[in-house]
Amino acid sequence: MSEPRAFVEVDLTAITANIRHLSRGIDANILAVVKADAYGHGLIEVARTAIEAGASWLGTALLEEAFALRDASLTAPILAWLTPPGEDFDRALKEKIDLSVSSLALLEEILAAGKRTGITPRVHIEVDTGMTRGGFLEEWDPFLVRLREVKSELHIVGFWTHFARADEPDSDFTEQQLILFNVLLNALQSEEIFPEIVHAANSAGAIAHPGSHKQMVRLGIAMYGLSPDVSTMGDSAKLGLKPAMSIKAKLVNVKRVPALSRVGYGGTGVTDRDTQLGIVCMGYSDGLPRRADATAGVSYNGELARLIGRVSMDQCVVDLGADSAARAGDYVTIIGEDGFSADDWASAAGTINYEITTRIASRLPRIYHR
Ligand SMILES: *Cc1c(COP(=O)(O)O)cnc(C)c1O
């Protein structure tokens, strides 16, 4: 096979190290969040690695992601929490995938699937304690009424909520969410329903709010070695984490141009000296943010070369400097230890590291280091 023009390297040993590092401070089950193709790192490889590293659960948003895990022979408990009406709940039950119950309509669909298949659905009840997104809010009381009638038809495995602001150490919002969460749990227990696994914490909760750990934490971004919020919690290094993703792309060409050359669509980039430009074979269709400014770029042999002009669909241009030895066909590092980080790209594009890694296109091959 020819060399890829651009590829993603995923350091699975970093994911293992991150889980081990985080689990030192966590006396609870770890659910490895592998939604969105494991934040762009690769669903199956990451799921296997996480289980080997000590995670006991896998979590996905979509049911199709959970099916893909089962198709790859992963047998760990799986929770899929984002299922609009009309999903294949029969198959979910047959494949022993835990479902989140977050509305009355969904409860009825899951009960119906239980009747059809003769399998008792394994469910986690989701309550909305302040995110105002998923989970029971105004339907809570009618839900309890209905649950009284049907609780024998369900295996209520879990009870859970999601934090909106766990990455803000100065805010007491997470504590308020936990108080409401406990009130709702008590209401459930008054119905003689005792879920085995109560869970609330995401990465930020797991790191910054030890009181939120309960019986399980749902680790996403931190497992991949990135900070939930660089500005409030510090970066990967500060948190003792190692980013697992790096990206390399080839130079299509290197060209020498004079000062004041205008670069790219709209001519928004202007060279400030005689220099060499590197034409990099990766663009916004590959997931590089078009909005990124010149605070991001690439590295070549550890030397930084910043973006110049707009990112195009399949390529972008960087200012290598007059003396660079880089040549057409050489690889440059888009994200990597010796260059720019996902955090740098996020800040250059006005977004968050989550969006950078999850949007790296699936057409770039993933190469795994074990
Ligand atoms: C994505 C997600 C997580 C993981 O969040 P991180 O901030 O990446 O740790 C946890 N729980 C739910 C419900 C999620 O959707």
Side-chain angles (χ1 to χ4, degrees):
M1 205 192 84
S2 64
E3 291 174 329
R5 51 101 198 176
F7 62 95
V8 178
E9 283 178 299
V10 179
D11 182 357
L12 296 174
T13 67
I15 291 177
T16 301
N18 293 332
I19 291 176
R20 296 210 172 126
H21 172 68
L22 292 160
S23 61
R24 265 173 229 133
I26 299 171
D27 184 19
N29 293 299
I30 290 177
L31 175 147
V33 179
V34 292
K35 64 190 177 190
D37 199 25
Y39 292 40
H41 295 66
L43 174 70
I44 304 301
E45 299 286 342
V46 170
R48 287 204 182 109
T49 301
I51 295 293
E52 278 166 25
S56 46
W57 282 72
L58 297 169
T60 66
L62 309 180
L63 211 39
E64 68 207 50
E65 299 165 329
F67 293 149
L69 290 169
R70 287 289 184 250
D71 286 345
S73 301
L74 280 140
T75 56
I78 300 175
L79 170 60
W81 53 71
L82 192 65
T83 53
E87 297 283 290
D88 191 349
F89 294 114
D90 291 17
R91 181 171 169 201
L93 301 191
K94 286 176 196 155
E95 303 206 12
K96 208 177 177 209
I97 292 160
D98 290 26
L99 298 166
S100 176
V101 172
S102 54
S103 72
L104 284 170
L106 199 51
L107 172 66
E108 297 307 329
E109 287 210 13
I110 292 171
L111 285 167
K115 287 215 172 75
R116 276 194 304 271
T117 57
I119 301 167
T120 306
R122 292 170 49 92
V123 298
H124 298 232
I125 296 167
E126 182 188 5
V127 287
D128 190 344
T129 58
M131 181 81 171
T132 320
R133 197 184 62 179
F136 284 103
L137 192 62
E138 85 293 357
E139 286 185 333
W140 176 248
D141 290 330
F143 169 68
L144 285 183
V145 171
R146 181 72 178 123
L147 203 53
R148 255 169 241 154
E149 301 163 357
V150 299
K151 65 180 182 187
S152 65
E153 297 168 43
L154 296 168
H155 179 172
I156 297 168
V157 178
F159 181 73
W160 72 288
T161 194
H162 193 50
F163 294 141
R165 299 171 64 173
D167 56 347
E168 298 174 36
D170 295 339
S171 161
D172 64 359
F173 196 77
T174 301
E175 271 56 46
Q176 288 175 27
Q177 283 196 260
L178 280 169
I179 289 168
L180 178 54
F181 189 47
N182 287 329
V183 168
L184 297 172
L185 177 60
N186 286 337
L188 198 66
Q189 290 170 338
S190 312
E191 304 286 335
E192 300 290 309
I193 296 169
F194 301 96
E196 298 128 57
I197 302 181
V198 175
H199 50 109
N202 52 6
S203 295
I207 294 167
H209 302 270
S212 72
H213 292 176
K214 309 287 181 189
Q215 282 85 52
M216 186 160 80
V217 302
R218 306 186 304 267
L219 287 184
I221 198 78
M223 175 174 82
Y224 301 99
L226 296 172
S227 169
D229 187 327
V230 176
S231 63
T232 59
M233 298 178 66
D235 63 7
S236 305
K238 161 123 198 283
L239 296 173
L241 302 170
K242 185 165 190 277
M245 178 185 284
S246 48
I247 302 176
K248 296 195 169 69
K250 266 191 184 181
L251 292 170
V252 179
N253 201 359
V254 175
K255 55 172 60 164
R256 211 165 267 284
V257 298
L260 302 180
S261 299
R262 289 195 167 267
V263 181
Y265 288 116
T268 59
V270 185
T271 55
D272 59 3
R273 62 207 151 127
D274 294 1
T275 189
Q276 297 180 91
L277 299 181
I279 320 305
V280 180
C281 200
M282 183 166 174
Y284 62 75
S285 68
D286 299 303
L288 278 189
R290 182 174 176 278
R291 288 190 45 158
D293 64 25
T295 58
V298 305
S299 66
Y300 179 81
N301 283 343
E303 279 180 36
L304 301 183
R306 295 180 187 279
L307 283 176
I308 181 164
R310 289 197 182 124
V311 172
S312 303
M313 187 180 292
D314 305 283
Q315 48 191 318
C316 61
V317 181
V318 295
D319 186 346
L320 291 164
D323 303 326
S324 174
R327 291 293 166 261
D330 290 349
Y331 282 109
V332 294
T333 302
I334 308 266
I335 290 177
E337 227 171 354
D338 62 344
F340 294 94
S341 62
D343 295 331
D344 294 326
W345 278 96
S347 104
T351 183
I352 54 174
N353 51 24
Y354 296 70
E355 190 176 352
I356 297 298
T357 69
T358 55
R359 291 178 76 119
I360 298 303
S362 57
R363 76 181 192 187
L364 298 197
R366 266 64 175 170
I367 293 170
Y368 296 97
H369 297 287
R370 293 187 169 76

